[in-house]
Amino acid sequence: QKEVEQNSGPLSVPEGAIASLNCTYSDRGSQSFFWYRQYSGKSPELIMFIYSNGDKEDGRFTAQLNKASQYVSLLIRDSQPSDSATYLCAVHSGGGADGLTFGKGTHLIIQP
Amino acid sequence: DVKVTQSSRYLVKRTGEKVFLECVQDMDHENMFWYRQDPGLGLRLIYFSYDVKMKEKGDIPEGYSVSREKKERFSLILESASTNQTSMYLCASSLSPFGAYEQYFGPGTRLTVT
C-alpha cells in the first residue's frame, strides 16, 4: 500500500516569513514528486514537480527531495496571505500511466 | 496552457439514478484520470485511462464505470447513484505514460445524491 503522509495543520506562518511544508512517502520506488495548491472549493493547481535529489527553485517556491530519507518538502519564501491554502503532496511510483498517490494535505495560514 | 473542463460544477441527483460526469481536455494528453475528494480522506483514484478505449481501475472503482471513446474525452458513470457517492469529483489529465507525469485538474463537479 503506497502511502503519502503530511501533517494536516493548520500551519500558521507570519506574512513575509518562510513556510515549510513536509511530506514523507512509503514506496521506495517512487520517481516523481509533485506539490499542488488547493484553495477552498477549488481544484488542485500544480505548483512544482521534482524528479531528482536536491533542490529545485521556481520563484518564491523551492522543492526539496531526499530519496534516501523518502522525504520531500516545499519552502515558500516571503509568504503572502494569498498563499493561504491547502498544499497537497503527490507521488508517482515510476513507469506507466497509473495515477498519483496524494497526501491529505497541509492547511497553511499566512497571518498578515 | 492546459485546459481541462468538466460538464457541471454542481449536480444533484436522486438515489438510483444513472449519472454521467464528462471531462474534456484540449492538450492532446494521453492519460486521463477520475478522482473523488472527501474531507479527511483526501484524493482517491477511481479509474484512469492511458489510451482510447483503454481503462484501468484505481483504488476505489466499485460503483463506477468509465468510457473513453475519444482521446480528449473521459466519462465517469455512476450506474445507480447512492448517497455515499456524494463527493467532489475531479478529472485530471497528463501528457504521457512514459514521463511528464504531472497532472492537470479540471474545476471539479460537486455531486450530491439525495
Side-chain angles (χ1 to χ4, degrees):
Chain A
Q1 179 88 8
K2 303 170 190 174
E3 292 183 347
V4 176
E5 300 287 342
Q6 295 181 258
N7 190 321
S8 61
L11 174 65
S12 187
V13 174
E15 183 176 357
I18 296 175
S20 178
L21 303 161
N22 304 315
C23 171
T24 58
Y25 58 94
S26 63
D27 184 359
R28 281 202 170 272
S30 300
Q31 299 287 327
S32 312
F33 307 86
F34 307 87
W35 284 101
Y36 287 83
R37 178 177 62 201
Q38 187 173 26
Y39 293 115
S40 180
K42 302 292 186 182
S43 62
E45 173 192 9
L46 180 67
I47 298 175
M48 292 192 70
F49 56 88
I50 186 167
Y51 295 158
S52 304
N53 274 329
D55 294 1
K56 180 181 178 182
E57 187 175 316
D58 184 1
R60 295 188 297 114
F61 298 96
T62 299
Q64 299 176 317
L65 175 61
N66 184 328
K67 288 186 179 179
S69 300
Q70 295 176 240
Y71 176 93
V72 58
S73 64
L74 179 71
L75 302 178
I76 307 174
R77 289 182 300 281
D78 188 24
S79 297
Q80 303 296 311
S82 60
D83 295 326
S84 298
T86 296
Y87 289 80
L88 304 174
C89 174
V91 173
H92 187 274
S93 292
D98 52 314
L100 303 180
T101 302
F102 284 83
K104 294 180 181 177
T106 297
H107 183 204
L108 175 66
I109 298 171
I110 305 301
Q111 293 183 324
Chain B
D1 209 19
V2 178
K3 183 86 169 176
V4 180
T5 58
Q6 295 183 230
S7 51
S8 306
R9 292 300 306 274
Y10 300 94
L11 209 52
V12 180
K13 294 293 182 181
R14 293 190 180 274
T15 301
E17 279 193 83
K18 191 169 186 176
V19 182
F20 293 87
L21 302 181
E22 304 285 338
C23 175
V24 177
Q25 51 93 6
D26 67 355
M27 285 303 292
D28 202 34
H29 281 181
E30 301 288 334
N31 308 324
M32 296 187 75
F33 307 85
W34 276 106
Y35 294 88
R36 63 179 283 179
Q37 187 175 31
D38 301 286
L41 296 177
L43 273 157
R44 293 178 292 167
L45 181 65
I46 304 171
Y47 266 98
F48 64 97
S49 168
Y50 55 89
D51 201 354
V52 175
K53 297 195 184 294
M54 305 303 290
K55 61 185 179 184
E56 295 285 343
K57 293 179 180 179
D59 299 320
I60 51 162
E62 296 78 18
Y64 303 95
S65 62
V66 291
S67 173
R68 193 167 181 200
E69 296 296 320
K70 292 185 178 182
K71 189 176 185 179
E72 68 271 18
R73 188 179 298 269
F74 192 35
S75 302
L76 180 69
I77 303 155
L78 287 66
E79 294 290 343
S80 177
S82 63
T83 54
N84 63 12
Q85 292 179 309
T86 291
S87 186
M88 169 71 92
Y89 289 88
L90 291 159
C91 175
S93 71
S94 67
L95 178 61
S96 164
F98 306 111
Y101 300 115
E102 58 271 23
Q103 295 182 13
Y104 298 90
F105 285 85
T109 295
R110 186 164 293 282
L111 172 67
T112 302
V113 182
T114 61

